Amino acid sequence: MPLLAVKTAQPRVTRSGVARQRLFDQLDAAVERPVTLVSAGAGWGKTMLVSAWARTRQTPVAWLNLDRHDNDPQTFWTYVVAALHTAGLLDDGNPLAGLTTVPGDERTRIRLLADGLSRLPDPSVLVIDDFHEIDDSRVLAEMGDLLRYPPEPVRLLLIGRHRPTLNLHRLRVAGQLSEIRANHLAFTDIEAADLVRGHGLSLTAADLTTLLDRTEGWAIGLQLGAGFLSGHQTRTVTDFAGDGRGIDDYLTDEVLAGRSRRQRRFLLQTSICERVCAELANAITVGRDGQRMLEQFENEHDFMIRLGDRPLWFRYHNLLRDALGHRLQVESPTVIAELHRRAARWHAANDSVMEALTHAVSAQDWTYVGRLVTGQAATLVLSAHRSALVRFLRLVPEDKLGSSAELMICAAVLLFHDGDYEAIPARLEHVRRLLRRRPGEEHRPVEIMRFTLQLAADRAVGDMPALHAGCTELLELLTNDGAAGGATVTQQRSIALNNRGLARLWTGDLGAAIRDLWASAGASRAAGLELAEINANGHLALAEVMCGSVADAARLAGAARELAGRRGWQDTVQSVAAHLAMVLVHLERGELADADEALQAGMRAHHSDPEVAQRVVLLGAQARLAVTRGEPAKAQVFLEAVRTERSPRTRVPWLDRWLTMIQMEADLAAGRSGPPPAGPPTVDGDLAMQVVQARVALAHKDLRRAGQLLDPRPATLPYTAATVEAGLLVALIADTRGQAGQAAELLGDALRLAERERIRRPFLIHADGRLDDLLHRFQLLYPEEKHSAFLEELRAEIRSGRKTPAADVLSEREAEVLLFLPTMLSAAEIAQDLGISVNTVKAHMRAIYRKLGVSRRSEAVTQARENGFL
């Protein structure tokens, strides 16, 4: 984030201050408790006291400087994490260590923060300065939630001008809250004497008492009083008012008095900045002496505060900045806008886009706001920081939003943020008309932004052909523009490839989709666009789990989710595909509880920025989960939701085909196989669809048609999940035809692929006595496979799912013998395998016949299958 080092820098005063050991001791005692408040009005020396105390600590102290722009939960907590990182308090095992921003979902964010804070070294001190700047109800609520049960290692020290609007009553009653207020910060006689001696003064006891009485120990009042008396023999303590009245005059007189014209102008003009460095100061004042000026002012008085140990960034004391700003407004009101423009341009040139926008808005330079957005803020529109950008755009007067192509883009950004996708094309068409009046070289940034917004809107509503066409046009523009180059173009190209890849995926051009997505993932990684990399890998994982390798899908989705988790992006729209891919991976592996967990993560991320295609996949995954659980009616509810919720512009033909397949699975689970299929079967390479069609044929006892659909298998994509199910169905067909040896051999091929990919769903949805019998026969015919853990787990789960277990009717040994009856083994061979006598086996067989009401071995097998024993 821009100016991160400044936000997390501990203020430092180079001039020797007053030793206030009593307050250091009070702070040492205070931080034994979880929360400490240092609250008093402006000028009581809160920040300087805590900063000086922090430098005496043997352990690191994390420091965060707040301002009014931090009233956003993601921004606030991201800076908190950055402060902890800067202080070296986050080790590699801490879940906060790799974050670049915190999650967008509130519950996920709070859980992650609570977990990370609880793993800090004990104790860890976190100082948050100027907490009074925070008035956002969401930030305050989340801070209140964390402080309800403070993480044990954390010692939180809040500095502000008033008590924060947090519910701290429980902490106060429990003795877990320390407070240092104005009456504690007030200077004592001894401290006041030290302070005035630092100004070269020697006051009588009476004069010192008068000065203390008039200032009430107020730090800034004592500083001003000492400055008022220093070097002026004719002034007396009684001439000094000492309270808050006329503070502007006091400050400006003390700081500006005796300054050269250049120094005076420098102080007034740089007061427009909350923080200033030499180069920024030079840009604002059109000078070259910024570094010398800043260091000189810092050394001369305590109203210029260095941020960090190196003299790079500084800030004025808030009271002085207010006073200088007021004097600038009075003396030179017409130059203020130009000063803000200069500051905006410097920040823009140094990639501090949000700070540039701050000054551009202060200057009310709406034209430049538009240029900033189109020229440098394109990546923010599709990032976790869009809400911060939107806050600035809402400050642009509505009547200005149509005055230029750039500001019309800003209006479209607001529409996109509000989810009004249908209104975006009209605005972007207006942009196109406005650009016709411009020279060609001025078109490119606006054109890129116009494409970005149009493609984002097309993607949101699920218009995949339009998304594909727009991405192709944008890629041609990026390629053909001879002036294009550098990191920005690389980023734009990777995002365009990403969008075209998912458009091709959902329209069924799978090979081209995979090529685009791999290219995007590589380009995004090279350009440092980790969000785009996560999105590309998530969609690659979806392609793999649906028609490729389940194991490869697990690897891709797992890596994307792991990176998203480290960066705090697990709740962003870019992470949805990875979550949903993992849902389908767990589904194919029969890990339904894990699938539910991944589904919840996908739903949280989807709500952050809903996209229709992702919604279709989400509902389809929920429907398939329900089918797998044997809940076809519930699956139907999700499938109906897909039909009713989609936009008229939604065009996702490949997903529609996938949903048709799930609908057929739900119908089969509900016992609705429909009319017998007519005409020759369609073998088009989509093995997943062919498998479902084969199941329909089997439901109508059409073994020939089913066999045609399951052979030949496609060679272009592996379809591992469908291949396993196809192999299983072919084996069951062979078994039905009495081809026991061939059935076992075919089953072995399916089992070995299933074990390699950890696929279990096909075996679970086809679980019945015949399958368990076939699995057992496979173990007998292939003894080397007998002790396969995967096979044993499958058989155990299949048997546990039966409605009427054999154990309820047969004894344990009878149930074991029953498993051998469908085989060609004789009673003697069964006895040898079980390690019992042949007479015992025959006795168990007679008992089985009696309990099943049959007289022959073949009849026993048939009846056992009907009862679900086999």
Side-chain angles (χ1 to χ4, degrees), residues 575-589:
S575 300
V576 176
H579 293 313
L580 296 181
M582 194 57 79
V583 173
L584 298 177
V585 166
H586 288 310
L587 175 61
E588 294 297 346
R589 290 177 169 177

Side-chain angles (χ1 to χ4, degrees), residues 340 344 356-366 369 392-393 395-396:
H340 279 295
L357 283 168
T358 299
H359 287 287
V361 168
S362 295
Q364 297 188 8
D365 190 342
W366 310 122
V369 168
F392 283 109
L393 298 187
L395 298 174
V396 180

